[in-house]
């Protein structure tokens, strides 16, 4: 057996050992790089989560501060004894203020509705009076009319209206009274109704003359 035949296997074994050692070192290096990358990803994710959480807290804090400036009952008038309100107090006072605004809104809407009805009633009464005036102006003049006769015509019209008013209007409360009056005006003070009533009264008085 030649000496080279003995040496070559030893060299091969040595080369193989070195190759394996190199692979192990590469594995260790890859493992360290992978672990470092994982730690870096976790750190970045944790930092991102912390930033998002901080933004959320800042937004909530700012929202409470804005709410506190908008609600009158949350504004401290005495800067010396002023204390920071807790969030529960701010929310409760905001709810109370919103409920107050809703009640005021409903009250104003009811008042506006009553005013609109009053305007309609006044317009109806104006139209009725204008029609009565027009009726007198267009009537033929047969002679002078005494003040007593004019008063009798007016009193007869008012008596007829009061009878319908007395039957239709209840006075259990002011709200009931107001509602009944509006309904009475809409039912008994229409131009056509007053026109017929006036013509009937004038016809009766004309027969008596």
């Amino acid at each position: 057996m030649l000496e080279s035949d003995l040496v070559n296997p030893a060299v091969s074994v040595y080369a193989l050992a070195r190759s394996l050692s190199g692979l192990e070192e590469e594995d260790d290096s890859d493992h360290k790089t992978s672990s470092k990358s994982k730690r870096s990803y976790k750190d970045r994710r944790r930092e991102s989560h912390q930033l998002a959480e901080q933004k959320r807290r800042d937004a909530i804090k700012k929202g409470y501060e804005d709410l506190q400036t908008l609600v009158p009952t949350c504004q401290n008038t005495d800067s010396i004894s002023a204390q920071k309100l807790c969030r529960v107090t701010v929310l409760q006072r905001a709810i109370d203020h919103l409920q107050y605004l809703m009640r005021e809104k409903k009250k104003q809407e009811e008042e506006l509705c009553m005013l609109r009805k009053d305007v309609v009633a006044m317009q109806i009464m104006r139209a009725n009076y204008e029609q009565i005036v027009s009726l007198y102006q267009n009537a033929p003049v047969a002679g002078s009319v005494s003040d007593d006769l004019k008063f009798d015509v007016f009193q007869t019209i008012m008596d007829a209206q009061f009878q319908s008013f007395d039957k239709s209007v209840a006075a259990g409360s002011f709200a009931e009274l107001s509602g009944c009056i509006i309904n009475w005006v809409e039912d008994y003070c229409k131009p056509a109704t007053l026109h017929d009533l006036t013509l009937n009264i004038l016809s009766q008085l004309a027969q008596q003359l």
Side-chain angles (χ1 to χ4, degrees):
M1 181 179 298
L2 296 176
E3 185 178 357
S4 60
D5 295 334
L6 296 174
V7 174
N8 287 336
V11 173
S12 298
V13 171
Y14 177 74
L16 179 61
R18 290 195 60 182
S19 176
L20 292 174
S21 177
L23 290 174
E24 290 178 354
E25 291 178 356
E26 290 179 0
D27 290 341
D28 292 340
S29 177
D30 293 341
H31 179 70
K32 292 179 180 179
T33 303
S34 177
S35 299
K36 183 177 181 181
S37 176
K38 290 181 179 180
R39 286 196 300 271
S40 177
Y41 171 74
K42 290 181 179 179
D43 292 340
R44 289 196 303 270
R45 186 175 180 182
R46 182 170 59 254
E47 291 175 359
S48 176
H49 177 72
Q50 290 176 350
L51 290 175
E53 180 65 18
Q54 186 62 40
K55 289 181 179 179
R56 187 184 70 85
R57 292 180 179 178
D58 293 340
I60 294 175
K61 181 180 178 182
K62 186 178 184 302
Y64 274 100
E65 291 175 353
D66 294 341
L67 184 61
Q68 189 169 349
T69 58
L70 292 174
V71 179
T73 54
C74 290
Q75 298 175 4
N76 294 315
T77 57
D78 188 1
S79 59
I80 298 177
S81 61
Q83 295 181 357
K84 185 176 181 181
L85 299 175
C86 65
R87 294 181 176 181
V88 175
T89 303
V90 172
L91 289 178
Q92 185 59 51
R93 292 187 180 183
I95 293 173
D96 295 340
H97 185 62
L98 287 176
Q99 292 176 345
Y100 165 76
L101 293 178
M102 292 176 65
R103 290 193 300 268
E104 288 296 313
K105 180 176 179 292
K106 184 178 180 181
K107 180 180 178 182
Q108 292 177 359
E109 288 177 349
E110 292 176 350
E111 292 177 352
L112 179 60
C113 182
M114 293 296 296
L115 290 175
R116 286 175 176 173
K117 290 183 178 180
D118 291 341
V119 170
V120 173
M122 295 299 294
Q123 291 175 346
I124 294 174
M125 294 178 66
R126 177 183 175 182
N128 293 336
Y129 291 139
E130 289 178 350
Q131 189 171 7
I132 293 173
V133 171
S134 176
L135 178 64
Y136 278 107
Q137 289 176 348
N138 296 330
V141 178
S144 62
V145 178
S146 64
D147 292 337
D148 292 338
L149 181 59
K150 290 190 294 184
F151 179 77
D152 290 339
V153 172
F154 180 78
Q155 184 178 12
T156 305
I157 294 174
M158 291 299 102
D159 288 342
Q161 289 296 90
F162 180 75
Q163 289 178 5
S164 64
F165 180 86
D166 188 45
K167 292 179 181 179
S168 304
V169 176
S173 64
F174 181 77
E176 184 181 12
L177 176 65
S178 301
C180 290
I181 290 176
I182 297 299
N183 292 332
W184 172 79
V185 170
E186 294 175 351
D187 293 337
Y188 292 94
C189 296
K190 296 178 181 179
T193 303
L194 288 178
H195 181 270
D196 295 339
L197 175 63
T198 304
L199 288 179
N200 186 27
I201 293 174
L202 290 175
S203 177
Q204 293 177 3
L205 290 176
Q207 294 176 2
Q208 296 175 4
L209 295 178

